Amino acid sequence: MPDPNATESMLTETRRFAPPADFAARAHVKSMAQYETLHARSIAEPEAFWSEVASELHWFKPWDTVLEWNLPDAKWFVGAQTNLCYNCIDRQVDAGLGDKVAIVWEGEAVGDGPGGGPEVLKLTYHDLLGRVSRFANVLKARGVKKGDVVTLYMGMVPELAVAMLACARIGAVHSVIFGGFSAQAICDRVEDGKSKLLITCDGSWRRGKVVPLKANVDQALTMTDRVKDVIVFNRCNAGVPMIDGRDHDWQTLVDAAPADCPAEPMDAEDLLFILYTSGSTGKPKGIMHTTGGYMVHTYLTAKLTFDLKADDPDELYWCTADCGWITGHSYILYGLLPNRCATLMFEGGPNHPAPDRFWDIIERHKVTKFYTAPTAIRAFMKWGDEHVEKHDLSSLKVLGTVGEPINPEAWVWYHEKIGGGRCPIVDTWWQTETGGHMLTPLPGATTTTPGSCCRPMLGIDMAVVNSDGQEVPNNTGGILVCRKPWPGMLRGIYGDRGRFVETYWSKVPGMYCPADGARIDPDGNFWITGRIDDVIVVAGHNLGTMEVESALVSHRAVAEAAVVGFPHEVKGTGVAAFVITQGELPEPGSDAAEQLKKQLIAHCGQELGPIAKPDQVRLTTALPKTRSGKIMRRLLRDIAAGHEITSDVSTLEDKGIVETLQRG
Ligand code: WT7
């Protein structure tokens, strides 16, 4: 259960921010009263509501039934046929909007473009249609069929969007792996998805250096022989070795491919993609999303949350996530393009070549809607206001945050320094599993309070309950649930029915349980109080503590490990590892101890990727366990946070251990 004390500081936050009147007047949803009417109706008549939303999109064949619900299995738009790629691209071209910009891409390096600026590429819907169709033909020529899983491990290049859309076009199921993950992660995902084709880049640019994507793939493919074909896009001229018969150059294949490839009519419930996310066991979960429902949910939420205006020629939306995460899937591509808006993709990091890179991009491209993570905002605050103040950010209209709770201080800074005090902030709560936004302010309607993600999206029935599923009183901590099915919900965990039922549908009878704690304040606003499972959210990314523990014990110097989160100034939550060493414990503070810690940090980076690198490692001879053998995680959390020990240690077997751990 969530810690009720965790909400105390939030209760003192009383500032309210109403949407500016001129913004509200032009918004899709203009007032709280209108929101409330729309929301009430969407919950009372979900099928009518969602079918009206779906009617705004293109279907090859309409549905017979909007929803078939056999808990925990939902089928949306049953009997219908559509294609998400068609709705992202062709629908716009067919409507005469082919010359409208769909994707604005900016490369990381500055000085590569004409006139010494960054490299910028603008793809119209028409351009995108050409590129996606050709690449879809490349996939077909390599034998990819409807339902086959294609693995993507690329940097943030336009070709990543092209590859995703090409899969959707022919009904292949993409499995995108974030380019920061390691060879082991690639191997695990390829095996789990039984994927025969992998698309990568020679490398990707990160702060002026090449991340060796192809080398990681080569290493991964020494551990599995599933993959028969690797398509390599040359981004960095890294001159990577190519294996004859297995590796193919992207451009050579594209040049030989025919230009025309009609979008495949897909059943609404055909699998669209799988995307892996961490759970409370060591093994990541392949979250399954299907075509029709996911399309309708991301379309509606993108439109309302960011108040997207298809008919505003200046509308330019930018989400700073990587396409390798659900945020990139839903709110760089799939929710955006069907809204006929331009979406910006940026290849690099926020501080290359200087800490003002994001603000420079917003100023040069005149970005109107901006979506980023609290971790990034806290880093910007630390880097200093001068980097922001150099730039004209007056094009901005709506600011979003996602991935983790935002502390009110960072919220207020974002509002004042980036939004000039005039842009509504939308703090969006959702998950890989939910497909799209579940709780969020609507920028023209909601009076926001810093730190709260406010209200349920239209069509979404969220509540805070006890373990019997009864609503708890206001300002009381409880379990966040969704009581009704929604179109973008996960349809399962790839290859693991039991885990799907157990993880999401067994904690509270009859309701979807995301494993977050929450409370609702007297205004009806939702506050997330933290995870209620063994997952920690580090810099906006889910990380299973078990995953890190498994990585640690795979190191020869480690006998046992326990991993917990602790409050981290920038990342929100940091990773703390408590490690029992194999053999003798090095003297605390000695070179040997420090060296071992460094090795273990690097080892986690190698096994899982940089996100999983512990921020603290404590070496110990034992872990605090209750007499029944359970590790006292709460105590470890206190130690990692440097708190005074308030946990009840009376059940602890060896009381001297606390001191050892604190010295660690
Ligand atoms: C978990 C989901 C949503 C896409 C990125 C992360 C936490 C997410 C918020 C928010 C407080 C948040 C939750 C959730 N989370 N958004 N606005 N406020 N917490 O997706 O990796 O699937 O992680 O992130 O704990 O369950 P994810």
Side-chain angles (χ1 to χ4, degrees):
M1 282 300 290
D3 173 4
N5 296 327
T7 64
E8 227 162 65
S9 64
M10 291 177 175
L11 289 170
T12 61
E13 179 55 56
T14 52
R15 293 181 68 181
R16 304 272 189 279
F17 295 81
D22 54 337
F23 182 94
R26 270 173 269 146
H28 290 300
V29 181
K30 301 176 193 339
S31 69
M32 210 51 199
Q34 190 190 1
Y35 160 80
E36 270 164 1
T37 311
L38 289 170
H39 187 260
R41 191 261 171 162
S42 73
I43 299 303
E45 297 167 29
E47 301 191 15
F49 172 77
W50 286 112
S51 66
E52 281 159 28
V53 178
S55 306
E56 294 175 25
L57 295 165
H58 173 272
W59 301 80
F60 293 106
K61 183 173 171 278
W63 47 94
D64 306 314
T65 314
V66 180
L67 170 66
E68 258 176 46
W69 177 224
N70 293 305
L71 189 126
D73 299 303
K75 286 186 183 163
W76 284 89
F77 309 110
V78 184
Q81 288 194 325
T82 187
N83 184 291
L84 179 51
C85 178
Y86 188 98
N87 276 286
C88 284
I89 308 176
D90 307 53
R91 188 174 152 260
Q92 281 56 270
V93 175
D94 295 349
L97 301 170
D99 291 336
K100 200 174 165 173
V101 173
I103 295 180
V104 177
W105 174 83
E106 179 159 317
E108 183 188 80
V110 173
D112 285 5
E119 190 184 350
V120 171
L121 180 72
K122 294 186 181 179
L123 294 176
T124 63
Y125 283 96
H126 183 264
D127 296 334
L128 200 54
L129 180 60
R131 289 192 184 217
V132 169
S133 299
R134 261 187 216 279
F135 193 70
N137 281 327
V138 165
L139 293 176
K140 278 187 177 172
R142 301 248 61 95
V144 175
K145 305 228 159 30
K146 205 165 159 167
D148 287 352
V149 176
V150 173
T151 303
L152 275 57
Y153 178 70
M154 305 170 79
M156 279 290 281
V157 285
E159 285 70 18
L160 170 53
V162 167
M164 290 168 75
L165 288 160
C167 287
R169 192 165 190 83
I170 63 171
V173 175
H174 58 64
S175 165
V176 184
I177 305 175
F178 172 55
F181 279 141
S182 63
Q184 187 63 51
I186 302 169
C187 169
D188 294 345
R189 286 156 176 74
V190 158
E191 271 298 320
D192 192 74
K194 302 183 187 64
S195 177
K196 287 186 293 206
L197 187 135
L198 190 150
I199 307 167
T200 189
C201 301
D202 57 344
S204 66
W205 290 111
R206 200 70 191 167
R207 301 199 173 92
K209 294 210 186 87
V210 176
V211 180
L213 298 180
K214 172 64 161 57
N216 291 345
V217 168
D218 288 341
Q219 198 195 335
L221 298 192
T222 61
M223 300 182 268
T224 165
D225 55 8
R226 282 222 191 254
V227 172
K228 304 298 173 224
D229 286 293
V230 178
I231 300 177
V232 185
F233 177 72
N234 177 20
R235 169 60 189 147
C236 306
N237 280 325
V240 294
M242 300 283 275
I243 293 179
D244 233 15
R246 188 195 76 180
D247 299 347
H248 318 274
D249 174 56
W250 169 292
Q251 202 55 49
T252 310
L253 297 182
V254 164
D255 288 344
D260 190 42
C261 177
E264 186 75 24
M266 303 294 293
D267 285 342
E269 282 299 338
D270 277 340
L271 193 55
L272 176 68
F273 65 81
I274 48 185
L275 182 61
Y276 287 83
T277 186
S278 298
S280 8
T281 70
K283 191 173 179 285
K285 305 172 282 194
I287 302 301
M288 294 158 67
H289 283 289
T290 58
T291 306
Y294 174 81
M295 169 174 86
V296 171
H297 185 196
T298 54
Y299 163 74
L300 176 78
T301 51
K303 177 173 164 177
L304 296 186
T305 303
F306 303 111
D307 199 48
L308 294 177
K309 297 288 171 50
D311 50 8
D312 176 358
D314 296 329
E315 188 81 296
L316 176 61
Y317 163 97
W318 180 24
C319 165
T320 67
D322 189 286
C323 284
W325 306 107
I326 192 70
T327 309
H329 283 57
S330 300
Y331 299 109
I332 292 178
L333 287 184
Y334 291 132
L336 263 289
L337 296 177
N339 271 294
R340 302 185 161 164
C341 288
T343 178
L344 192 147
M345 272 177 90
F346 174 50
E347 181 183 35
N351 52 357
H352 189 81
D356 68 338
R357 184 62 188 271
F358 277 12
W359 323 126
D360 179 50
I361 291 177
I362 292 174
E363 179 174 17
R364 271 188 292 108
H365 293 284
K366 299 197 168 53
V367 171
T368 52
K369 313 285 164 74
F370 180 66
Y371 195 28
T372 196
T375 289
I377 297 167
R378 288 188 290 264
F380 300 139
M381 288 171 75
K382 232 175 132 168
W383 295 341
D385 295 359
E386 63 272 22
H387 304 294
V388 180
E389 285 158 3
K390 277 197 273 198
H391 295 281
D392 173 5
L393 304 180
S394 59
S395 57
L396 289 171
K397 291 183 180 155
V398 176
L399 302 176
T401 81
V402 56
E404 53 184 317
I406 180 162
N407 45 314
E409 194 195 358
W411 195 107
V412 170
W413 183 88
Y414 195 33
H415 187 255
E416 281 168 12
K417 295 292 167 188
I418 307 303
R422 66 174 196 284
C423 303
I425 292 190
V426 288
D427 174 357
T428 59
W429 180 92
W430 57 297
Q431 306 179 292
T432 305
E433 292 87 339
T434 69
H437 299 155
M438 302 296 276
L439 292 170
T440 178
L442 297 185
T446 314
T447 293
T448 49
T449 299
S452 164
C453 27
C454 295
R455 297 295 187 100
M457 175 50 68
L458 300 190
I460 305 294
D461 186 22
M462 303 295 289
V464 178
V465 300
N466 62 22
S467 48
D468 298 329
Q470 273 147 353
E471 284 185 71
V472 298
N474 276 351
N475 270 343
T476 308
I479 305 168
L480 183 68
V481 291
C482 188
R483 292 184 289 203
K484 294 266 172 60
W486 68 99
M489 66 195 280
L490 80 163
R491 301 300 196 267
I493 294 175
Y494 199 71
D496 202 341
R497 173 76 186 174
R499 194 173 178 196
F500 168 62
V501 176
E502 162 69 25
T503 308
Y504 306 106
W505 303 96
S506 64
K507 292 193 186 83
V508 183
M511 299 177 190
Y512 172 79
C513 180
D516 277 39
R519 68 181 172 90
I520 301 179
D521 72 17
D523 295 334
N525 288 323
F526 284 69
W527 297 77
I528 304 299
T529 53
R531 298 285 309 185
I532 55 175
D533 59 4
D534 291 329
V535 170
I536 51 179
V537 183
V538 178
H541 300 303
N542 264 8
L543 189 65
T545 49
M546 282 266 283
E547 263 179 288
V548 187
E549 287 162 6
S550 317
L552 283 166
V553 297
S554 75
H555 190 281
R556 61 188 154 64
V558 177
E560 201 181 331
V563 168
V564 295
F566 70 97
H568 187 283
E569 199 191 345
V570 173
K571 299 193 220 176
T573 303
V575 180
F578 295 81
V579 172
I580 302 181
T581 51
Q582 213 53 282
E584 211 175 312
L585 180 70
E587 188 59 35
S590 66
D591 283 354
E594 292 314 304
Q595 214 161 19
L596 177 57
K597 288 182 188 180
K598 276 202 194 116
Q599 273 179 23
L600 295 179
I601 293 169
H603 180 71
C604 290
Q606 222 155 46
E607 291 292 301
L608 299 166
I611 295 164
K613 285 188 178 175
D615 300 282
Q616 3 169 326
V617 178
R618 288 163 197 262
L619 305 177
T620 175
T621 46
L623 289 166
K625 288 189 182 158
T626 61
R627 287 194 197 108
S628 60
K630 274 201 177 140
I631 294 179
M632 296 180 71
R633 288 181 180 276
R634 170 120 192 227
L635 177 61
L636 294 182
R637 282 194 284 268
D638 280 343
I639 294 171
H643 289 162
E644 228 180 286
I645 306 305
T646 54
S647 306
D648 176 8
V649 290
S650 59
T651 53
L652 199 60
E653 218 169 351
D654 167 10
K655 298 203 175 55
I657 198 174
V658 174
E659 204 196 317
T660 316
L661 289 171
Q662 282 172 321
R663 271 191 295 132

